Amino acid sequence: MTKTLISWLFAASGFAIVLPAIAQDSAKAGLVAGQDYHSVQLLSGSSAAVLQKSLALVADQPYARIDKRGAEYALRVGYWDSRPEALQAAKALLPKFRDAYARIASYRPDAIVARAGEQPSAASAPVTSTPEVPATGAAGAAKKPAQASASVSSTPALASVVEQPSQSPAPIPSAPTIQPSSVAGAAEQPSKMSASAPVTPVISPPTTESVQSLEILRSQLAARQAINEQLSKRIETLEKQLAAQSKIDGPPILGLDANSPKPVADTAKPDSITAIEEALVSKGLVLMPAGSLRGALSASWGHNGTGSNRADSYSVGTTFEAGLPWGMAAALSVPYIWRDSSDGTNNGVGDPSISVAKKLSNESDSLPSFVARLSYTHDGGKDPFTLPAIGSGFRSYGVSLSAVKRSDPVVFYGNLSYAHALPKMAVVRFKDSGNILFQGKIAPGDSYGLGMGVSLTATPEIALDAGLSLAFANSSRLELLNTAFYPGRATVGYFNLGTSILLTKNMSLSVNASAGVTKDASDFIFSVALPYRFW
């Protein structure tokens, strides 16, 4: 009977340890070398050449580039100050790049090996070089022999035009016509050259095809130069727009037209939500944006003990959370509970609870973000002092502090909590027999909580989570016939594993499993939740 009373007192006075919560598509001008920014990584490879084709696909993105970090090359876009902006860009690029994800990358100009829109400094088509040919002297040209006694190998046509005599012999089909070089005293040379005499080939006038090829190459070079000039002007225009954008809210204007309409930044749009952000909101670590509303249906099953000491608890519940101005949010939760244990069966509405949270600080390079939460649980549950009980029977107040630190693709979190329940006169009975187990004043002991964990972004639509939660409950005070006694303290610890899956832009699925790691904890708890964002 004493063991049953102790178990009931702990169940009645225990408090759910809530893991409270903590979280312009705007490229920034004036980047600082060595400083960390948020970028979107699309692809990686062992050389810049394999990424060059993909770089052209994101030429319209801000700061599209190929970075070299160590022996690896990475295709990235953007330098943002805040992570939500990078997440929104990654979401938009997923149709083209399935591995796109937001990460922290320092700005290092020396590590950038290529940028979108870069062109080689020279035309890509090869230009035939012109060999240097000695000009034929004019003196004694009239005295040169008219024929050569031997044939020589054919000489290819050159792209340059060399000055020729006014009359040159017709070329022979098998070999071009040649003439001996004119030098001073050419009149003394024999009229016919022997086959072994050195000769200088006569360069035939350029053909129509070679002239056309040269003109094509010149046109290609001029086109490349025009493209480079256009890109330079575009860069200047973008730099001016970025400089002006840094002085106002909203994302930069990307385009050549300075008068084009400016898109409006909206970080609260559902398209910017990722699975890990939704998981952090579900745990209470990140608050909803002002003016937004979110509802969730949840179900859980907890089991403890075996045989005559077994206990199973099933519950379904609804939770509504609304974003408020000034970095605040409010939440309301109402459960419905079924209990089946060795003491009997019972079901009904559990204790409703309400909480208000406030974001204390934003995350920085060295410090996490902090969120404080104040909660109240009302003693409105059914049969609080009947075994098995549905409600706790006590009004309680709680306060907690949570912290979140991001290091893409990982998020670390932790929290501390404290709860206090008001004392109450109570008559505890067994449900089946109606026998009185205890009658007197009960003052539940204060409860302290500690939690920590890590969440991992597997993909923008899937997040994984692992954590540990502990609760320490002081001894409750029971006053019977002017005598006080204390049943004992309790330590409740759970190892938690979970996943969050983004089903649509408004709906996600959360699955969690907890295993008890202390003797006062349930053997296991399995829960499923289906949150939905209305706006």
Side-chain angles (χ1 to χ4, degrees), residues 73-93:
Y73 295 82
L75 176 59
R76 298 171 179 163
V77 299
Y79 291 108
W80 290 279
D81 285 334
S82 65
R83 186 171 181 278
E85 295 173 310
L87 288 173
Q88 186 173 359
K91 184 76 174 180
L93 290 170

Side-chain angles (χ1 to χ4, degrees), residues 49-309:
V50 300
L51 304 176
Q52 193 70 36
K53 185 176 180 180
S54 298
L55 178 62
L57 299 178
V58 290
D60 58 336
Q61 298 296 321
Y63 295 103
R65 65 199 183 278
I66 299 176
D67 285 349
K68 184 177 187 297
R69 302 297 172 97
E72 293 292 326
Y73 295 82
L75 176 59
R76 298 171 179 163
V77 299
Y79 291 108
W80 290 279
D81 285 334
S82 65
R83 186 171 181 278
E85 295 173 310
L87 288 173
Q88 186 173 359
K91 184 76 174 180
L93 290 170
L94 279 176
K96 292 183 179 179
F97 299 89
R98 62 180 297 176
D99 296 326
Y101 69 94
R103 60 162 300 157
I104 294 177
S106 58
Y107 173 55
R108 288 176 48 189
D110 58 317
I112 300 176
V113 299
R115 296 182 176 87
E118 282 190 342
Q119 299 293 337
S121 57
S124 58
V127 181
T128 306
S129 59
T130 304
E132 187 175 336
V133 180
T136 304
K143 300 178 182 180
K144 291 181 180 179
Q147 293 180 355
S149 59
S151 300
V152 298
S153 60
S154 62
T155 302
L158 301 179
S160 60
V161 181
V162 181
E163 181 182 357
Q164 300 292 331
S166 59
Q167 294 180 354
S168 44
I172 300 173
S174 60
T177 304
I178 58 175
Q179 289 182 340
S181 302
S182 297
V183 296
E188 299 176 359
Q189 295 180 358
S191 60
K192 291 185 179 181
M193 297 182 62
S194 64
S196 61
V199 295
T200 301
V202 174
I203 309 303
S204 300
T207 63
T208 303
E209 292 78 2
S210 64
V211 174
Q212 291 177 348
S213 299
L214 181 60
E215 292 299 325
I216 292 174
L217 293 176
R218 287 175 177 172
S219 300
Q220 290 178 349
L221 181 59
R224 297 285 183 180
Q225 292 174 345
I227 292 174
N228 291 339
E229 291 178 1
Q230 183 181 10
L231 292 174
S232 298
K233 293 180 180 180
R234 181 180 182 185
I235 291 174
E236 293 178 0
T237 302
L238 292 176
E239 288 177 347
K240 292 179 181 179
Q241 293 172 352
L242 292 174
Q245 190 65 33
S246 63
K247 300 179 181 179
I248 59 176
D249 295 330
I253 305 170
L254 299 178
L256 295 176
D257 186 5
N259 297 321
S260 59
K262 180 183 66 174
V264 179
D266 185 4
T267 58
K269 291 193 302 184
D271 291 340
S272 64
I273 302 301
T274 61
I276 196 167
E277 292 295 325
E278 191 65 26
L280 295 176
V281 172
S282 297
K283 292 181 176 65
L285 300 169
V286 172
L287 302 184
M288 294 286 293
S292 58
L293 179 63
R294 177 178 179 271
L297 294 175
S298 61
S300 67
W301 168 42
H303 174 79
N304 189 37
T306 58
S308 61
N309 293 323

